């Protein structure tokens, strides 16, 4: 049983790997570095994860779960379908501006895992399919037309926002995303 001071070994390994993968890249961080920084043995890592790819998949699944939880929490405050769209757009902007300041973890992982059939790319695809479905549902609930095209546009704007907050002025990227996404969503 884990103590209050230190999380369970699997959670600690995953948190360490997640931090390193996001900040330094998946291919740039080896298993030895993760083990060393987590303060565990290789045997501990392999007891919880079959290998590095399984650890990367767990990292991306964790990112997906965290984003979905934040999404659900944010949207739970909506008092109308239009308000839900406003909250979604504001939440996306805030996430890119304050949490994912080095780009999208899914895009970065896809860039380092070129095989579209890999387990890594499957997690990335599931997240992106989920996000588009969520946007279509919000736009449909708000009575918008052409929801598929609008959801695709907002997904693309989200990608641009995550890159813009990393490479350009994050304040400008955030303002541009919010203004453009609100327009696409039919919000005044």
């Amino acid at each position: 049983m884990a103590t209050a001071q230190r999380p369970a070994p699997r959670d600690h390994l995953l948190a360490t790997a997640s931090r390193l993968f996001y900040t330094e890249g998946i291919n740039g961080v080896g298993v030895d570095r993760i083990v060393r920084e987590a303060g565990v043995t290789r045997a501990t890592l392999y007891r919880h994860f079959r290998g590095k790819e399984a650890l990367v998949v767990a990292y991306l699944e964790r990112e997906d779960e965290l984003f979905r939880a934040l999404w659900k929490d944010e949207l739970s405050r909506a008092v109308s379908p239009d308000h839900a769209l406003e909250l979604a757009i504001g939440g996306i902007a805030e996430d890119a501006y304050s949490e994912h300041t080095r780009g999208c973890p899914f895009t970065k992982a896809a860039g380092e895992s070129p095989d579209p059939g890999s387990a890594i790319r499957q997690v990335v695809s599931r997240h992106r399919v989920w996000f588009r479905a969520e946007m279509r549902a919000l736009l449909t609930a708000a009575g918008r037309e052409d929801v598929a095209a609008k959801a695709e546009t907002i997904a693309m704007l989200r990608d641009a926002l995550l890159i813009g907050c990393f490479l350009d002025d994050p304040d400008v990227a955030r303002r541009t995303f919010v203004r453009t996404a609100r327009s696409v969503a039919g919000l005044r």
Side-chain angles (χ1 to χ4, degrees):
M1 175 177 262
T3 65
Q5 290 84 15
R6 185 171 169 116
R10 183 186 190 284
D11 296 336
H12 182 62
L13 271 165
L14 185 53
T16 301
S18 295
R19 175 180 50 81
L20 292 170
F21 290 155
Y22 185 69
T23 59
E24 297 182 29
I26 292 165
N27 294 334
V29 177
V31 169
D32 289 336
R33 171 102 182 274
I34 295 165
V35 166
R36 184 174 60 253
E37 291 211 16
V40 299
T41 65
R42 273 180 162 270
T44 299
L45 183 138
Y46 290 114
R47 185 177 321 119
H48 296 286
F49 303 98
R50 288 186 323 270
K52 186 175 178 183
E53 183 179 53
L55 184 57
V56 173
V57 166
Y59 152 62
L60 293 172
E61 287 173 341
R62 178 179 182 249
E63 284 289 329
D64 181 63
E65 289 168 9
L66 291 170
F67 189 84
R68 288 181 193 223
L70 288 171
W71 183 264
K72 183 179 177 184
D73 184 55
E74 187 73 17
L75 294 182
S76 72
R77 300 183 303 120
V79 296
S80 71
D82 277 2
H83 189 225
L85 281 169
E86 289 175 7
L87 290 171
I89 290 167
I92 293 164
E94 183 59 28
D95 176 69
Y97 186 81
S98 62
E99 297 299 321
H100 288 106
T101 58
R102 297 183 60 85
C104 175
F106 300 99
T107 303
K108 290 169 71 166
E112 292 192 63
S113 180
D115 177 6
S118 73
I120 292 167
R121 290 290 292 271
Q122 290 173 16
V123 175
V124 171
S125 293
R126 281 193 302 271
H127 175 78
R128 295 177 66 79
V129 166
W130 169 83
F131 179 76
R132 287 183 184 97
E134 287 290 308
M135 289 309 308
R136 284 192 305 273
L138 291 174
L139 291 160
T140 299
R144 302 308 190 265
E145 295 180 8
D146 201 12
V147 297
K150 286 180 169 82
E152 288 294 329
T153 301
I154 292 171
M156 186 176 290
L157 289 170
R158 177 184 175 220
D159 291 340
L161 169 68
L162 285 156
I163 293 168
C165 281
F166 177 43
L167 298 178
D168 300 321
D169 182 330
D171 292 312
V172 172
R174 182 183 194 177
R175 283 193 308 271
T176 302
F177 168 79
V178 169
R179 180 181 62 248
T180 309
R182 286 180 58 82
S183 177
V184 169
L187 297 169
R188 295 183 185 163

